[in-house]
Amino acid sequence: MATILNINREVEKIIIPGEEGQENTILEVFTDDKSIEQTLHQVGNAMDRFAVLQSKLDKAQNEEAIKEQQDAMVRLFKRTISAIVGTDGWNKILEYIGDGKPADPANNILNLGEIFAALVTWLYERCTSKQLRNAGIKFEREMPKVKKTARKKAHK
């Protein structure tokens, strides 16, 4: 039986397939130890910030407050996505979203959120557990909460 080893290279490519007649979008990510660890710390810090911004956005009462939180969200997306794929990658992503022309990030927050989630998943799959722990990123399984009455019935 053959053994398959997944070995990271110093630079890995992420290919976003183009639609018919379009070229693929190729993003390069530095995956050497130092780059991965630095990126993990930036992403870990961003995750906490995203939760705060989303909460503020949900509570925003007027257009000015909504715009302020959306702008902050765009800046955070730009900073963290660029940390993973570089500034060139950020620009390529905006061009991909905009069908060849740079899209306005403020009008594409949901798209950028999905892209960020996909990139973070990709990044986490290439990290060791030790690298994740060192960056302060921990995964916890949520156990379903059982109501006391359900537990009492089960024990009778």
Side-chain angles (χ1 to χ4, degrees):
M1 185 166 147
T3 301
I4 298 173
L5 297 176
N6 292 323
I7 301 173
N8 287 348
R9 297 179 177 202
E10 283 192 1
V11 177
E12 299 238 358
K13 293 183 185 208
I14 298 174
I15 300 172
I16 304 171
E19 293 183 14
E20 197 171 310
Q22 293 179 329
E23 292 184 23
N24 293 339
T25 299
I26 300 173
L27 309 172
E28 292 186 345
V29 182
F30 290 96
T31 54
D32 58 276
D33 291 344
K34 183 179 178 182
S35 296
I36 286 282
E37 288 171 14
Q38 182 179 7
T39 302
L40 282 174
H41 282 285
Q42 290 173 311
V43 168
N45 292 340
M47 298 298 253
D48 293 335
R49 185 78 180 119
F50 277 121
V52 170
L53 285 175
Q54 187 61 52
S55 176
K56 288 181 178 181
L57 188 58
D58 292 341
K59 294 175 184 173
Q61 298 292 321
N62 58 50
E63 290 294 319
E64 185 179 327
I66 291 171
K67 177 151 179 34
E68 183 179 319
Q69 295 311 314
Q70 286 176 332
D71 289 346
M73 189 78 78
V74 166
R75 287 190 302 274
L76 190 57
F77 275 133
K78 181 178 182 179
R79 190 168 58 243
T80 53
I81 290 173
S82 294
I84 299 170
V85 297
T87 304
D88 186 50
W90 168 257
N91 293 329
K92 286 180 179 181
I93 288 169
L94 292 179
E95 286 178 13
Y96 182 83
I97 293 171
D99 207 17
K101 299 176 192 170
D104 179 2
N107 293 330
N108 288 282
I109 290 175
L110 293 177
N111 285 334
L112 291 172
E114 289 180 13
I115 291 165
F116 176 74
L119 289 172
V120 168
T121 300
W122 181 91
L123 179 67
Y124 286 178
E125 288 173 352
R126 275 146 187 81
C127 297
T128 64
S129 295
K130 183 179 178 183
Q131 287 173 316
L132 291 168
R133 281 192 310 274
N134 287 344
I137 299 169
K138 297 179 180 77
F139 296 97
E140 295 179 21
R141 292 186 179 187
E142 287 188 332
M143 297 298 292
K145 294 182 180 178
V146 181
K147 293 182 179 179
K148 288 181 182 180
T149 55
R151 276 191 252 157
K152 287 179 183 177
K153 288 179 184 177
H155 292 292
K156 287 185 179 182

